[in-house]
Amino acid sequence: MNPYYAAGFMSALTFWVWPAFLFQNFDAHWLTVVVVSALLFVGVGKVATEYHIDHIAPKEPPRGPKSHIAILCGVVFVMGLLLRVVFYFVAGGV
């Protein structure tokens, strides 16, 4: 599996799906949860993949270090956290 889609999937689960549905401690409409989770999975996964293709793994050697993959996956994960924090403040501290 593409690591960036995996990171987007895990951030969607960690910050949106699990709190909203399993722990019921995230007061958001189910449609909001679905839309944000889909954006994290598809949108961020695609953008990170394109960035990887263009900048980390060029067709000609030398290739970028493998640590760049981990850093970019971390950035995708942090985006999930930031989306939740922004939602929290926009929703009025739910």
Side-chain angles (χ1 to χ4, degrees):
M1 179 179 209
N2 184 315
Y4 306 117
Y5 285 102
F9 180 70
M10 287 307 299
S11 64
L13 283 178
T14 302
F15 300 116
W16 292 88
V17 176
W18 288 335
F21 294 116
L22 297 180
F23 305 127
Q24 297 179 351
N25 66 350
F26 184 46
D27 188 20
H29 190 272
W30 67 270
L31 192 56
T32 303
V33 174
V34 169
V35 168
V36 172
S37 297
L39 285 174
L40 281 170
F41 178 68
V42 176
V44 178
K46 180 168 177 46
V47 168
T49 300
E50 294 298 323
Y51 181 83
H52 178 98
I53 290 169
D54 291 342
H55 299 286
I56 296 174
K59 294 178 184 177
E60 301 289 327
R63 294 187 180 276
K66 291 191 186 254
S67 63
H68 287 173
I69 296 173
I71 291 168
L72 200 51
C73 283
V75 168
V76 171
F77 196 75
V78 168
M79 295 231 1
L81 173 63
L82 290 176
L83 281 171
R84 178 156 179 186
V85 169
V86 167
F87 176 83
Y88 179 81
F89 285 112
V90 169
V94 174

CSV table of all heavy atoms in Angstrom, one decimal, residues 33-93:
chain,number,residue,atom,x,y,z
A,33,VAL,N,-17.6,14.0,9.7
A,33,VAL,CA,-16.5,13.0,9.9
A,33,VAL,C,-16.2,12.2,8.6
A,33,VAL,O,-15.0,12.0,8.3
A,33,VAL,CB,-17.0,12.0,11.0
A,33,VAL,CG1,-16.0,10.8,11.2
A,33,VAL,CG2,-17.2,12.7,12.3
A,34,VAL,N,-17.2,11.8,7.9
A,34,VAL,CA,-17.0,11.1,6.6
A,34,VAL,C,-16.2,12.0,5.6
A,34,VAL,O,-15.2,11.5,5.0
A,34,VAL,CB,-18.3,10.6,6.0
A,34,VAL,CG1,-18.1,10.1,4.6
A,34,VAL,CG2,-18.9,9.5,6.9
A,35,VAL,N,-16.6,13.2,5.5
A,35,VAL,CA,-16.0,14.1,4.5
A,35,VAL,C,-14.5,14.4,4.9
A,35,VAL,O,-13.6,14.3,4.0
A,35,VAL,CB,-16.8,15.4,4.4
A,35,VAL,CG1,-16.0,16.5,3.6
A,35,VAL,CG2,-18.1,15.2,3.7
A,36,VAL,N,-14.3,14.7,6.1
A,36,VAL,CA,-12.9,15.0,6.5
A,36,VAL,C,-12.0,13.8,6.4
A,36,VAL,O,-10.9,13.8,6.0
A,36,VAL,CB,-12.8,15.6,7.9
A,36,VAL,CG1,-11.4,15.7,8.4
A,36,VAL,CG2,-13.5,17.0,8.0
A,37,SER,N,-12.6,12.6,6.8
A,37,SER,CA,-11.8,11.4,6.7
A,37,SER,C,-11.5,11.1,5.2
A,37,SER,O,-10.4,10.7,4.9
A,37,SER,CB,-12.6,10.2,7.3
A,37,SER,OG,-12.8,10.4,8.7
A,38,ALA,N,-12.4,11.3,4.3
A,38,ALA,CA,-12.2,11.1,2.9
A,38,ALA,C,-11.2,12.0,2.3
A,38,ALA,O,-10.3,11.7,1.6
A,38,ALA,CB,-13.5,11.2,2.1
A,39,LEU,N,-11.2,13.3,2.8
A,39,LEU,CA,-10.2,14.3,2.3
A,39,LEU,C,-8.8,13.9,2.8
A,39,LEU,O,-7.9,14.0,2.1
A,39,LEU,CB,-10.6,15.7,2.9
A,39,LEU,CG,-11.7,16.4,2.2
A,39,LEU,CD1,-12.1,17.7,2.9
A,39,LEU,CD2,-11.4,16.6,0.7
A,40,LEU,N,-8.7,13.4,4.0
A,40,LEU,CA,-7.4,13.0,4.6
A,40,LEU,C,-6.9,11.8,3.8
A,40,LEU,O,-5.7,11.8,3.4
A,40,LEU,CB,-7.5,12.6,6.0
A,40,LEU,CG,-7.5,13.8,7.0
A,40,LEU,CD1,-7.9,13.3,8.4
A,40,LEU,CD2,-6.2,14.5,7.0
A,41,PHE,N,-7.8,10.8,3.5
A,41,PHE,CA,-7.3,9.6,2.9
A,41,PHE,C,-7.0,9.9,1.4
A,41,PHE,O,-5.9,9.6,0.9
A,41,PHE,CB,-8.4,8.5,3.0
A,41,PHE,CG,-8.0,7.3,2.3
A,41,PHE,CD1,-7.0,6.5,2.8
A,41,PHE,CD2,-8.7,6.8,1.2
A,41,PHE,CE1,-6.6,5.3,2.1
A,41,PHE,CE2,-8.4,5.7,0.5
A,41,PHE,CZ,-7.4,4.9,1.0
A,42,VAL,N,-7.9,10.4,0.7
A,42,VAL,CA,-7.8,10.6,-0.8
A,42,VAL,C,-7.0,11.9,-1.1
A,42,VAL,O,-6.0,11.8,-1.8
A,42,VAL,CB,-9.1,10.6,-1.5
A,42,VAL,CG1,-8.9,10.9,-3.0
A,42,VAL,CG2,-9.9,9.3,-1.3
A,43,GLY,N,-7.4,13.0,-0.6
A,43,GLY,CA,-6.7,14.3,-0.9
A,43,GLY,C,-5.3,14.3,-0.5
A,43,GLY,O,-4.4,14.6,-1.3
A,44,VAL,N,-5.1,14.2,0.8
A,44,VAL,CA,-3.7,14.3,1.3
A,44,VAL,C,-2.8,13.2,0.8
A,44,VAL,O,-1.6,13.4,0.5
A,44,VAL,CB,-3.7,14.3,2.9
A,44,VAL,CG1,-2.3,14.4,3.4
A,44,VAL,CG2,-4.5,15.5,3.3
A,45,GLY,N,-3.4,12.0,0.7
A,45,GLY,CA,-2.6,10.8,0.1
A,45,GLY,C,-2.2,11.1,-1.3
A,45,GLY,O,-1.0,10.8,-1.7
A,46,LYS,N,-3.0,11.7,-2.1
A,46,LYS,CA,-2.7,12.0,-3.5
A,46,LYS,C,-1.6,13.1,-3.6
A,46,LYS,O,-0.7,13.0,-4.3
A,46,LYS,CB,-3.9,12.4,-4.3
A,46,LYS,CG,-3.6,12.7,-5.8
A,46,LYS,CD,-4.8,12.8,-6.6
A,46,LYS,CE,-4.5,13.1,-8.0
A,46,LYS,NZ,-3.5,12.5,-8.7
A,47,VAL,N,-1.8,14.2,-2.8
A,47,VAL,CA,-0.9,15.3,-2.8
A,47,VAL,C,0.5,14.8,-2.4
A,47,VAL,O,1.5,15.2,-3.0
A,47,VAL,CB,-1.4,16.4,-1.9
A,47,VAL,CG1,-0.3,17.5,-1.7
A,47,VAL,CG2,-2.6,17.1,-2.6
A,48,ALA,N,0.5,14.0,-1.3
A,48,ALA,CA,1.8,13.6,-0.8
A,48,ALA,C,2.5,12.6,-1.8
A,48,ALA,O,3.7,12.7,-2.0
A,48,ALA,CB,1.6,12.9,0.6
A,49,THR,N,1.7,11.8,-2.5
A,49,THR,CA,2.2,10.9,-3.5
A,49,THR,C,2.8,11.7,-4.6
A,49,THR,O,3.9,11.4,-5.1
A,49,THR,CB,1.1,10.0,-4.0
A,49,THR,OG1,0.6,9.2,-2.9
A,49,THR,CG2,1.7,9.0,-5.1
A,50,GLU,N,2.1,12.7,-5.1
A,50,GLU,CA,2.7,13.5,-6.2
A,50,GLU,C,3.9,14.2,-5.8
A,50,GLU,O,4.9,14.3,-6.5
A,50,GLU,CB,1.6,14.6,-6.6
A,50,GLU,CG,0.4,13.9,-7.3
A,50,GLU,CD,0.7,13.2,-8.5
A,50,GLU,OE1,1.6,13.6,-9.3
A,50,GLU,OE2,0.1,12.1,-8.8
A,51,TYR,N,4.0,14.7,-4.5
A,51,TYR,CA,5.2,15.4,-4.0
A,51,TYR,C,6.3,14.4,-4.0
A,51,TYR,O,7.5,14.7,-4.4
A,51,TYR,CB,4.9,16.0,-2.6
A,51,TYR,CG,6.1,16.7,-2.1
A,51,TYR,CD1,6.4,18.0,-2.4
A,51,TYR,CD2,7.0,16.1,-1.2
A,51,TYR,CE1,7.5,18.7,-2.0
A,51,TYR,CE2,8.1,16.7,-0.7
A,51,TYR,CZ,8.4,18.0,-1.1
A,51,TYR,OH,9.5,18.6,-0.6
A,52,HIS,N,6.0,13.2,-3.5
A,52,HIS,CA,7.1,12.1,-3.5
A,52,HIS,C,7.6,11.9,-4.9
A,52,HIS,O,8.8,11.8,-5.1
A,52,HIS,CB,6.5,10.9,-2.9
A,52,HIS,CG,7.5,9.7,-2.8
A,52,HIS,ND1,8.2,9.4,-1.7
A,52,HIS,CD2,7.9,8.9,-3.8
A,52,HIS,CE1,9.0,8.4,-2.0
A,52,HIS,NE2,8.8,8.0,-3.2
A,53,ILE,N,6.8,11.7,-5.8
A,53,ILE,CA,7.2,11.4,-7.2
A,53,ILE,C,8.0,12.5,-7.8
A,53,ILE,O,9.0,12.3,-8.4
A,53,ILE,CB,6.0,11.1,-8.1
A,53,ILE,CG1,5.3,9.8,-7.7
A,53,ILE,CG2,6.3,11.1,-9.6
A,53,ILE,CD1,4.0,9.5,-8.3
A,54,ASP,N,7.6,13.8,-7.5
A,54,ASP,CA,8.3,14.9,-8.1
A,54,ASP,C,9.6,15.3,-7.4
A,54,ASP,O,10.6,15.7,-8.0
A,54,ASP,CB,7.4,16.1,-8.1
A,54,ASP,CG,6.3,16.0,-9.1
A,54,ASP,OD1,6.3,15.1,-9.9
A,54,ASP,OD2,5.3,16.7,-8.9
A,55,HIS,N,9.7,15.1,-6.1
A,55,HIS,CA,10.8,15.6,-5.3
A,55,HIS,C,11.7,14.6,-4.6
A,55,HIS,O,12.9,14.7,-4.4
A,55,HIS,CB,10.3,16.6,-4.3
A,55,HIS,CG,9.7,17.8,-5.0
A,55,HIS,ND1,10.3,18.8,-5.6
A,55,HIS,CD2,8.3,18.1,-5.1
A,55,HIS,CE1,9.5,19.7,-6.1
A,55,HIS,NE2,8.3,19.3,-5.8
A,56,ILE,N,11.1,13.5,-4.0
A,56,ILE,CA,11.8,12.6,-3.2
A,56,ILE,C,12.4,11.5,-4.1
A,56,ILE,O,13.5,11.0,-3.9
A,56,ILE,CB,10.9,12.0,-2.1
A,56,ILE,CG1,10.5,13.1,-1.1
A,56,ILE,CG2,11.7,10.9,-1.3
A,56,ILE,CD1,9.5,12.6,-0.1
A,57,ALA,N,11.7,11.0,-5.1
A,57,ALA,CA,12.1,9.9,-5.9
A,57,ALA,C,12.2,10.3,-7.4
A,57,ALA,O,11.4,9.8,-8.2
A,57,ALA,CB,11.2,8.7,-5.7
A,58,PRO,N,13.2,11.1,-7.7
A,58,PRO,CA,13.3,11.5,-9.1
A,58,PRO,C,13.7,10.3,-10.0
A,58,PRO,O,14.2,9.3,-9.5
A,58,PRO,CB,14.4,12.6,-9.1
A,58,PRO,CG,15.1,12.3,-7.9
A,58,PRO,CD,14.2,11.7,-6.9
A,59,LYS,N,13.5,10.4,-11.3
A,59,LYS,CA,13.8,9.3,-12.2
A,59,LYS,C,15.3,9.0,-12.3
A,59,LYS,O,15.7,7.9,-12.4
A,59,LYS,CB,13.2,9.5,-13.5
A,59,LYS,CG,11.7,9.5,-13.5
A,59,LYS,CD,11.2,9.9,-14.9
A,59,LYS,CE,9.6,9.9,-14.8
A,59,LYS,NZ,9.0,10.3,-16.1
A,60,GLU,N,16.1,10.1,-12.1
A,60,GLU,CA,17.5,10.0,-12.2
A,60,GLU,C,18.1,9.9,-10.8
A,60,GLU,O,17.7,10.6,-9.9
A,60,GLU,CB,18.1,11.2,-12.9
A,60,GLU,CG,17.6,11.4,-14.3
A,60,GLU,CD,18.1,10.3,-15.3
A,60,GLU,OE1,19.2,9.9,-15.1
A,60,GLU,OE2,17.3,10.0,-16.2
A,61,PRO,N,19.1,9.0,-10.6
A,61,PRO,CA,19.8,9.0,-9.3
A,61,PRO,C,20.5,10.4,-9.1
A,61,PRO,O,20.8,11.0,-10.0
A,61,PRO,CB,20.8,7.9,-9.4
A,61,PRO,CG,20.3,7.0,-10.5
A,61,PRO,CD,19.6,8.0,-11.5
A,62,PRO,N,20.7,10.8,-7.9
A,62,PRO,CA,20.5,10.1,-6.6
A,62,PRO,C,19.1,10.3,-6.1
A,62,PRO,O,18.4,11.3,-6.4
A,62,PRO,CB,21.5,10.8,-5.7
A,62,PRO,CG,21.5,12.2,-6.2
A,62,PRO,CD,21.4,12.1,-7.7
A,63,ARG,N,18.6,9.3,-5.4
A,63,ARG,CA,17.2,9.4,-4.9
A,63,ARG,C,17.3,10.0,-3.5
A,63,ARG,O,18.4,10.1,-2.9
A,63,ARG,CB,16.7,8.0,-4.7
A,63,ARG,CG,16.4,7.3,-6.0
A,63,ARG,CD,15.6,6.0,-5.8
A,63,ARG,NE,15.4,5.3,-7.0
A,63,ARG,CZ,14.4,5.6,-7.8
A,63,ARG,NH1,13.5,6.5,-7.5
A,63,ARG,NH2,14.2,4.9,-8.9
A,64,GLY,N,16.2,10.6,-3.1
A,64,GLY,CA,16.1,11.2,-1.7
A,64,GLY,C,16.2,10.1,-0.6
A,64,GLY,O,16.0,9.0,-0.9
A,65,PRO,N,16.7,10.6,0.5
A,65,PRO,CA,16.8,9.6,1.6
A,65,PRO,C,15.5,9.0,2.0
A,65,PRO,O,14.4,9.7,1.9
A,65,PRO,CB,17.4,10.5,2.8
A,65,PRO,CG,17.7,11.8,2.2
A,65,PRO,CD,17.1,11.9,0.8
A,66,LYS,N,15.5,7.8,2.5
A,66,LYS,CA,14.2,7.2,3.0
A,66,LYS,C,13.6,7.9,4.2
A,66,LYS,O,12.4,7.8,4.4
A,66,LYS,CB,14.5,5.7,3.3
A,66,LYS,CG,14.8,4.9,2.1
A,66,LYS,CD,14.8,3.4,2.5
A,66,LYS,CE,15.3,2.6,1.3
A,66,LYS,NZ,14.3,1.9,0.6
A,67,SER,N,14.4,8.7,4.9
A,67,SER,CA,13.8,9.4,6.0
A,67,SER,C,12.8,10.5,5.5
A,67,SER,O,11.9,10.8,6.3
A,67,SER,CB,14.9,10.1,6.8
A,67,SER,OG,15.6,11.1,6.0
A,68,HIS,N,12.9,10.9,4.3
A,68,HIS,CA,12.0,11.9,3.8
A,68,HIS,C,10.6,11.2,3.7
A,68,HIS,O,9.6,11.9,3.9
A,68,HIS,CB,12.4,12.4,2.4
A,68,HIS,CG,13.5,13.3,2.4
A,68,HIS,ND1,14.2,13.8,1.3
A,68,HIS,CD2,14.2,13.9,3.5
A,68,HIS,CE1,15.1,14.6,1.7
A,68,HIS,NE2,15.2,14.7,3.0
A,69,ILE,N,10.5,9.9,3.4
A,69,ILE,CA,9.2,9.3,3.4
A,69,ILE,C,8.6,9.3,4.8
A,69,ILE,O,7.4,9.6,4.9
A,69,ILE,CB,9.4,7.8,2.9
A,69,ILE,CG1,9.8,7.8,1.5
A,69,ILE,CG2,8.1,7.0,3.0
A,69,ILE,CD1,10.2,6.4,0.9
A,70,ALA,N,9.4,9.0,5.8
A,70,ALA,CA,8.8,9.0,7.2
A,70,ALA,C,8.4,10.4,7.6
A,70,ALA,O,7.4,10.6,8.2
A,70,ALA,CB,9.9,8.5,8.2
A,71,ILE,N,9.2,11.4,7.2
A,71,ILE,CA,8.9,12.8,7.5
A,71,ILE,C,7.5,13.2,6.9
A,71,ILE,O,6.7,13.8,7.5
A,71,ILE,CB,10.0,13.8,7.1
A,71,ILE,CG1,11.2,13.5,8.0
A,71,ILE,CG2,9.5,15.2,7.2
A,71,ILE,CD1,12.5,14.2,7.5
A,72,LEU,N,7.4,12.9,5.6
A,72,LEU,CA,6.2,13.2,4.9
A,72,LEU,C,5.0,12.5,5.4
A,72,LEU,O,3.9,13.1,5.6
A,72,LEU,CB,6.3,12.9,3.4
A,72,LEU,CG,5.4,13.7,2.4
A,72,LEU,CD1,5.3,15.2,2.7
A,72,LEU,CD2,5.8,13.4,1.0
A,73,CYS,N,5.1,11.2,5.8
A,73,CYS,CA,4.0,10.5,6.5
A,73,CYS,C,3.7,11.2,7.8
A,73,CYS,O,2.5,11.3,8.1
A,73,CYS,CB,4.4,9.0,6.7
A,73,CYS,SG,4.3,8.0,5.2
A,74,GLY,N,4.7,11.6,8.5
A,74,GLY,CA,4.4,12.4,9.8
A,74,GLY,C,3.6,13.6,9.5
A,74,GLY,O,2.8,14.0,10.3
A,75,VAL,N,4.0,14.3,8.4
A,75,VAL,CA,3.3,15.6,8.1
A,75,VAL,C,1.8,15.3,7.8
A,75,VAL,O,0.9,16.0,8.2
A,75,VAL,CB,4.0,16.3,6.9
A,75,VAL,CG1,3.1,17.4,6.3
A,75,VAL,CG2,5.3,16.8,7.3
A,76,VAL,N,1.6,14.2,7.1
A,76,VAL,CA,0.2,13.8,6.8
A,76,VAL,C,-0.6,13.5,8.1
A,76,VAL,O,-1.7,14.0,8.2
A,76,VAL,CB,0.1,12.6,5.8
A,76,VAL,CG1,-1.3,12.0,5.7
A,76,VAL,CG2,0.7,12.9,4.5
A,77,PHE,N,0.1,12.8,9.0
A,77,PHE,CA,-0.6,12.5,10.3
A,77,PHE,C,-0.9,13.8,11.1
A,77,PHE,O,-2.0,13.9,11.6
A,77,PHE,CB,0.3,11.6,11.1
A,77,PHE,CG,-0.4,10.9,12.2
A,77,PHE,CD1,-1.2,9.8,12.0
A,77,PHE,CD2,-0.1,11.3,13.5
A,77,PHE,CE1,-1.9,9.2,13.0
A,77,PHE,CE2,-0.8,10.6,14.5
A,77,PHE,CZ,-1.6,9.6,14.3
A,78,VAL,N,0.1,14.7,11.1
A,78,VAL,CA,-0.1,15.9,11.8
A,78,VAL,C,-1.2,16.8,11.2
A,78,VAL,O,-2.0,17.5,11.9
A,78,VAL,CB,1.2,16.7,11.9
A,78,VAL,CG1,1.0,18.2,12.4
A,78,VAL,CG2,2.2,16.0,12.8
A,79,MET,N,-1.4,16.7,9.9
A,79,MET,CA,-2.5,17.4,9.2
A,79,MET,C,-3.9,16.9,9.8
A,79,MET,O,-4.8,17.7,9.9
A,79,MET,CB,-2.5,17.2,7.7
A,79,MET,CG,-1.3,17.8,7.1
A,79,MET,SD,-1.4,18.9,5.7
A,79,MET,CE,-3.1,19.0,5.3
A,80,GLY,N,-4.0,15.6,10.1
A,80,GLY,CA,-5.2,15.1,10.7
A,80,GLY,C,-5.5,15.7,12.0
A,80,GLY,O,-6.6,16.1,12.3
A,81,LEU,N,-4.4,15.8,12.8
A,81,LEU,CA,-4.5,16.5,14.1
A,81,LEU,C,-4.9,17.9,14.0
A,81,LEU,O,-5.8,18.4,14.7
A,81,LEU,CB,-3.2,16.3,14.9
A,81,LEU,CG,-3.1,17.1,16.2
A,81,LEU,CD1,-4.1,16.6,17.2
A,81,LEU,CD2,-1.7,17.0,16.8
A,82,LEU,N,-4.2,18.6,13.1
A,82,LEU,CA,-4.5,20.1,12.9
A,82,LEU,C,-6.0,20.3,12.4
A,82,LEU,O,-6.6,21.2,12.9
A,82,LEU,CB,-3.5,20.7,11.9
A,82,LEU,CG,-2.1,20.8,12.4
A,82,LEU,CD1,-1.2,21.4,11.4
A,82,LEU,CD2,-2.1,21.7,13.7
A,83,LEU,N,-6.5,19.4,11.5
A,83,LEU,CA,-7.8,19.5,11.1
A,83,LEU,C,-8.8,19.4,12.3
A,83,LEU,O,-9.8,20.1,12.4
A,83,LEU,CB,-8.2,18.5,10.0
A,83,LEU,CG,-7.7,18.8,8.6
A,83,LEU,CD1,-7.9,17.6,7.7
A,83,LEU,CD2,-8.4,20.0,8.1
A,84,ARG,N,-8.5,18.5,13.2
A,84,ARG,CA,-9.4,18.3,14.3
A,84,ARG,C,-9.3,19.5,15.3
A,84,ARG,O,-10.3,20.0,15.8
A,84,ARG,CB,-9.0,17.0,15.1
A,84,ARG,CG,-9.9,16.9,16.3
A,84,ARG,CD,-10.0,15.5,16.8
A,84,ARG,NE,-10.9,15.6,18.0
A,84,ARG,CZ,-11.1,14.5,18.7
A,84,ARG,NH1,-10.6,13.4,18.4
A,84,ARG,NH2,-11.9,14.6,19.8
A,85,VAL,N,-8.1,20.1,15.5
A,85,VAL,CA,-8.0,21.2,16.3
A,85,VAL,C,-8.7,22.4,15.7
A,85,VAL,O,-9.4,23.1,16.5
A,85,VAL,CB,-6.4,21.5,16.5
A,85,VAL,CG1,-6.3,22.9,17.2
A,85,VAL,CG2,-5.8,20.5,17.4
A,86,VAL,N,-8.6,22.6,14.4
A,86,VAL,CA,-9.3,23.7,13.8
A,86,VAL,C,-10.8,23.5,13.9
A,86,VAL,O,-11.5,24.4,14.2
A,86,VAL,CB,-8.9,23.8,12.3
A,86,VAL,CG1,-9.8,24.7,11.5
A,86,VAL,CG2,-7.5,24.3,12.2
A,87,PHE,N,-11.3,22.3,13.7
A,87,PHE,CA,-12.7,22.0,13.9
A,87,PHE,C,-13.1,22.3,15.3
A,87,PHE,O,-14.2,22.9,15.5
A,87,PHE,CB,-13.0,20.5,13.5
A,87,PHE,CG,-14.4,20.2,13.8
A,87,PHE,CD1,-15.4,20.5,12.8
A,87,PHE,CD2,-14.8,19.6,15.0
A,87,PHE,CE1,-16.7,20.1,13.1
A,87,PHE,CE2,-16.1,19.3,15.2
A,87,PHE,CZ,-17.1,19.5,14.2
A,88,TYR,N,-12.3,22.0,16.3
A,88,TYR,CA,-12.6,22.2,17.7
A,88,TYR,C,-12.9,23.7,17.9
A,88,TYR,O,-13.8,24.0,18.6
A,88,TYR,CB,-11.5,21.6,18.5
A,88,TYR,CG,-11.7,21.8,20.0
A,88,TYR,CD1,-12.5,20.9,20.7
A,88,TYR,CD2,-11.1,22.9,20.7
A,88,TYR,CE1,-12.7,21.1,22.1
A,88,TYR,CE2,-11.3,23.0,22.0
A,88,TYR,CZ,-12.1,22.2,22.8
A,88,TYR,OH,-12.2,22.3,24.1
A,89,PHE,N,-12.0,24.5,17.4
A,89,PHE,CA,-12.1,25.9,17.7
A,89,PHE,C,-13.2,26.6,16.8
A,89,PHE,O,-14.0,27.4,17.3
A,89,PHE,CB,-10.8,26.7,17.4
A,89,PHE,CG,-9.8,26.4,18.5
A,89,PHE,CD1,-8.7,25.7,18.2
A,89,PHE,CD2,-10.0,26.9,19.8
A,89,PHE,CE1,-7.7,25.5,19.2
A,89,PHE,CE2,-9.1,26.7,20.8
A,89,PHE,CZ,-7.9,26.0,20.5
A,90,VAL,N,-13.4,26.1,15.6
A,90,VAL,CA,-14.5,26.6,14.8
A,90,VAL,C,-15.9,26.2,15.3
A,90,VAL,O,-16.8,27.0,15.3
A,90,VAL,CB,-14.4,26.1,13.3
A,90,VAL,CG1,-15.6,26.4,12.5
A,90,VAL,CG2,-13.2,26.8,12.7
A,91,ALA,N,-16.0,25.0,15.9
A,91,ALA,CA,-17.2,24.5,16.5
A,91,ALA,C,-17.5,25.1,17.8
A,91,ALA,O,-18.5,24.9,18.4
A,91,ALA,CB,-17.2,23.0,16.5
A,92,GLY,N,-16.6,26.0,18.3
A,92,GLY,CA,-16.8,26.6,19.6
A,92,GLY,C,-16.4,25.8,20.8
A,92,GLY,O,-17.0,25.9,21.9
A,93,GLY,N,-15.3,25.0,20.7
A,93,GLY,CA,-14.8,24.2,21.8
A,93,GLY,C,-15.7,23.1,22.2
A,93,GLY,O,-16.1,23.0,23.4
